[in-house]
């Protein structure tokens, strides 16, 4: 099947130009003005539309066990929702259970995605235990296209690993070319504050945020970067939430270190004030690191603009308010951590970034598609519109208006952190490997059509 997108404006990370895009099968074959209408079996008129590389969200948690429950979107509902919002690739996290091989976790997560994923997906591996064979297992996983590993400096006794383990993992990636992704918060100190807080009878959702200070994040970011420097390895800080943490990344980059970081729409647009909502509604915003004081928000936008931050991901980790968040009604530590977002990333960042003059159109594309593709070993298959690339293309209507919320979203979750946010700019059609999977608000893709992506090590992280 061939498909011609005519009269659109192609937006890439480094340029914007009027062009037609010819797609043959799953790939882009030509990008230029004046491709004749009879060049393809199907023609879509893209006049007035922007043609963007499909969005890449490198931080999602579909069907993820957490605190006795499981995130409410699985690979079907979550990737379908992602597609509605213009994301055509996700990289999700498999979790090594302590005392087991990473390979088992990879098989488990392939099983979760099998027959369900509606868009292409890659996997990071969360390392909880190096045991005796963990370093060789990491090499084995890199050969399977798992080119990144997440390690936790928080959640003692569950996911947290010590500095020696982090240093060993970083040293291994300096050889095998994978990228270590760090959840950077000082889990030991936080745990002491949490216990003190509970002992004082403070159990409401807001205390989740108050027991995880900014300094605990900044210290851990500093330590993660120092360990990476000693190991001669790059490092990527996930879900960075505060100015203090950002300063650590900026300082490292200014010294020429290969330190990278992402932030998420909720840290850019919401503050700790949300957590004071009555009737336990603050629980909707319990995620980690927590929402911060609003003074941080413009600093993060500035970090995106000046490349101190390289990626916007969502950390999509939804739990329903009615029957999951409520598990922590009497104790904030039992509220499952995480919030929904995979569907609304492009809409929110386009509206609040591009429309409001904080980001150029090209920087927007770089943050939501090109830079994640490069850093995580998917470029130029993903993250651009060029001959030979996968035909993952969003036909973006810059004039389309949307009110974000449960009434309009497709994520399997009973609330939105952005309920009532009005945005301008939304998908009209979404194309994944040459197939129109979303058209005018209808989903046309088949569950299971998404392919597992074998990602390359050294995916541009050194450039
Ligand atoms: O609260 C969060 N972020 N939940 C997902 C797990 C993680 O740390 O990314
Ligand atoms: Zn994390
Ligand atoms: Zn996460």
């Amino acid at each position: 099947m061939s498909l011609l997108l005519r009269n659109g404006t192609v937006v890439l990370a480094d340029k914007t130009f009027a062009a037609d895009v010819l797609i043959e099968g799953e790939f882009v074959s030509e990008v230029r003005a004046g491709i004749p209408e009879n060049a393809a079996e199907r023609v879509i008129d893209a006049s007035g539309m922007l043609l963007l590389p499909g969005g890449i969200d490198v931080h999602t948690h579909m069907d993820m066990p957490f605190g006795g429950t499981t995130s409410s979107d699985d690979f079907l509902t979550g990737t379908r929702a992602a597609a509605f919002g213009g994301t055509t690739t996700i990289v999700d996290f498999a979790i090594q259970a302590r005392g087991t091989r990473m390979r088992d976790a990879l098989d488990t997560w392939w099983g979760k995605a099998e027959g369900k994923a509606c868009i292409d997906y890659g996997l990071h591996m969360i390392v909880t235990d190096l045991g005796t064979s963990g370093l060789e297992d990491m090499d084995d996983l890199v050969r399977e296209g798992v080119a990144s590993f997440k390690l936790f400096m928080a959640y003692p006794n569950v996911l947290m690993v010590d500095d020696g383990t982090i240093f060993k993992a970083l040293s291994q990636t300096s050889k095998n070319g994978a990228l270590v992704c760090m959840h950077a918060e000082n889990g030991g100190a936080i745990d002491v504050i949490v216990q003190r807080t509970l002992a004082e009878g403070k159990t409401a959702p807001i205390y989740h945020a108050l027991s995880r200070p900014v300094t605990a994040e900044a210290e851990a970011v500093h330590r993660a970067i120092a360990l990476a420097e000693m190991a001669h390895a790059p490092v990527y800080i996930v879900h960075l939430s505060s100015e203090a943490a950002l300063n650590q990344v900026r300082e490292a980059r200014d010294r020429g270190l290969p330190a990278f970081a992402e932030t998420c729409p909720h840290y850019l647009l919401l503050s700790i004030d949300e957590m004071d909502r009555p009737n336990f509604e603050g629980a909707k915003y319990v995620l980690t690191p927590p929402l911060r004081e609003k003074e941080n928000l413009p600093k993060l936008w500035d970090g995106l603009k000046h490349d101190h931050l390289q990626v916007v991901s969502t950390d999509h980790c939804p739990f329903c308010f009615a029957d999951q968040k409520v598990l922590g009604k009497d104790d904030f530590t039992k509220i499952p951590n995480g919030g929904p977002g995979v569907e609304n990333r492009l809409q929110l960042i386009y509206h609040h970034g591009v429309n409001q003059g904080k980001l150029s159109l090209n920087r927007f594309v770089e943050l939501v598609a090109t830079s994640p593709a490069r850093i995580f070993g998917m470029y130029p298959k993903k993250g651009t519109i060029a001959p030979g690339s996968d035909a993952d293309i969003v036909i973006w209507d810059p004039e389309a208006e949307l009110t974000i919320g449960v009434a309009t979203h497709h994520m399997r979750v009973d609330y939105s952190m952005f309920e009532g946010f009005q945005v301008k700019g939304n998908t009209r059609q979404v194309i994944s490997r040459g197939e129109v999977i979303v058209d005018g608000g209808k989903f046309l893709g088949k569950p299971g059509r998404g392919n597992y992506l074998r990602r390359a090590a050294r995916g541009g992280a050194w450039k």
Side-chain angles (χ1 to χ4, degrees):
M1 176 77 185
S2 55
L3 173 62
L4 178 62
L5 314 180
R6 288 199 82 214
N7 303 318
T9 299
V10 174
V11 186
L12 304 181
D14 59 347
K15 54 182 180 255
T16 303
F17 53 101
D20 306 326
V21 178
L22 181 62
I23 296 166
E24 289 181 283
E26 299 193 348
F27 305 102
V28 172
S29 65
E30 267 190 89
V31 184
R32 66 175 172 90
I35 301 176
E37 206 164 325
N38 62 7
E41 291 147 271
R42 180 177 173 195
V43 177
I44 293 179
D45 180 18
S47 307
M49 300 291 127
L50 305 179
L51 302 177
L52 313 176
I56 301 177
D57 190 343
V58 290
H59 193 148
T60 66
H61 301 277
M62 309 299 176
D63 201 357
M64 186 192 80
F66 188 99
T69 188
T70 303
S71 59
S72 58
D73 266 320
D74 64 11
F75 274 83
L76 196 168
T77 61
T79 58
R80 188 174 56 199
F84 273 108
T87 287
T88 53
T89 302
I90 60 164
V91 186
D92 205 88
F93 291 84
I95 308 178
Q96 176 204 21
R98 283 223 165 105
T100 69
R101 306 290 295 263
M102 293 176 208
R103 185 66 211 211
D104 301 336
L106 180 59
D107 289 339
T108 302
W109 258 261
W110 275 341
K112 286 174 188 272
E114 176 80 39
K116 289 190 172 177
C118 301
I119 56 174
D120 293 349
Y121 70 98
L123 291 169
H124 315 275
M125 179 62 61
I126 292 178
V127 178
T128 56
D129 178 9
L130 284 177
T132 49
S133 58
L135 298 176
E136 295 85 69
D137 286 2
M138 287 175 75
D139 292 349
D140 180 36
L141 260 69
V142 172
R143 287 188 283 274
E144 293 286 11
V146 179
S148 42
F149 298 87
K150 181 177 177 186
L151 284 87
F152 280 77
M153 300 169 108
Y155 299 117
N157 306 316
V158 188
L159 296 165
M160 183 168 140
V161 288
D162 60 22
D163 289 353
T165 301
I166 295 168
F167 184 65
K168 281 186 205 159
L170 282 161
S171 303
Q172 199 69 10
T173 61
S174 80
K175 292 182 267 180
N176 67 25
L179 181 62
V180 166
C181 304
M182 293 300 313
H183 179 124
E185 287 184 298
N186 186 317
I190 286 171
D191 216 35
V192 172
I193 302 171
V194 165
Q195 296 316 321
R196 272 191 211 147
T197 306
L198 287 175
E200 288 165 12
K202 296 171 175 165
T203 60
I206 181 77
Y207 292 108
H208 169 80
L210 296 178
S211 57
R212 309 183 86 89
V214 157
T215 314
E217 184 184 26
E219 182 280 326
V221 170
H222 180 87
R223 184 159 36 104
I225 293 171
L227 291 166
E229 185 176 8
M230 286 190 276
H232 307 291
V235 67
Y236 179 92
I237 309 298
V238 294
H239 48 46
L240 186 142
S241 69
S242 63
E243 181 192 10
L246 175 62
N247 287 342
Q248 299 298 325
V249 176
R250 193 189 50 224
E251 188 268 341
R253 290 177 64 81
D254 286 350
R255 288 198 291 122
L257 294 177
F260 304 89
E262 64 177 23
T263 191
C264 311
H266 43 269
Y267 299 124
L268 291 161
L269 297 167
L270 304 172
S271 78
I272 190 171
D273 297 350
E274 307 292 347
M275 303 194 65
D276 257 336
R277 288 178 185 239
N279 304 320
F280 190 61
E281 292 218 17
K284 294 178 175 174
Y285 304 88
V286 167
L287 36 81
T288 310
L291 298 179
R292 303 299 191 183
E293 297 293 340
K294 53 181 171 305
E295 292 71 31
N296 289 276
L297 278 55
K299 306 292 181 189
L300 295 178
W301 281 107
D302 222 45
L304 291 174
K305 182 172 176 180
H306 294 109
D307 201 33
H308 308 314
L309 295 165
Q310 290 69 47
V311 172
V312 178
S313 69
T314 60
D315 195 5
H316 176 75
C317 189
F319 297 100
C320 289
F321 181 66
D323 60 346
Q324 294 186 295
K325 290 287 186 180
V326 79
L327 294 169
K329 192 102 183 81
D330 302 315
D331 176 351
F332 68 88
T333 66
K334 302 211 161 51
I335 302 169
N337 289 192
V342 75
E343 183 167 353
N344 303 121
R345 183 179 59 127
L346 269 63
Q347 299 146 357
L348 288 166
I349 302 303
Y350 182 86
H351 182 80
H352 290 275
V354 179
N355 289 350
Q356 296 189 2
K358 296 189 200 81
L359 300 173
S360 72
L361 199 45
N362 306 99
R363 182 64 180 155
F364 162 72
V365 165
E366 189 164 33
L367 289 165
V368 301
T370 312
S371 172
R374 282 186 193 278
I375 291 173
F376 287 95
M378 295 175 272
Y379 188 86
K381 179 177 171 64
K382 307 287 189 190
T384 189
I385 302 175
S389 294
D390 283 3
D392 290 358
I393 298 173
V394 177
I395 303 181
W396 186 262
D397 182 349
E399 300 300 323
E401 297 192 5
L402 172 73
T403 303
I404 292 176
V406 271
T408 56
H409 79 205
H410 303 83
M411 299 176 285
R412 188 163 65 187
V413 62
D414 60 359
Y415 77 96
S416 169
M417 291 195 287
F418 305 98
E419 187 67 46
F421 274 49
Q422 296 188 340
V423 292
K424 193 161 155 193
N426 198 3
T427 59
R428 195 184 75 180
Q429 277 111 347
V430 179
I431 299 166
S432 164
R433 279 185 288 105
E435 185 184 343
V436 179
I437 58 169
V438 173
D439 195 347
K442 281 206 183 65
F443 187 72
L444 307 176
K446 228 172 94 223
R449 63 169 298 286
N451 287 341
Y452 171 67
L453 279 168
R454 287 176 183 274
R455 295 178 295 114
R458 300 194 172 80
W462 284 263
K463 288 189 193 120

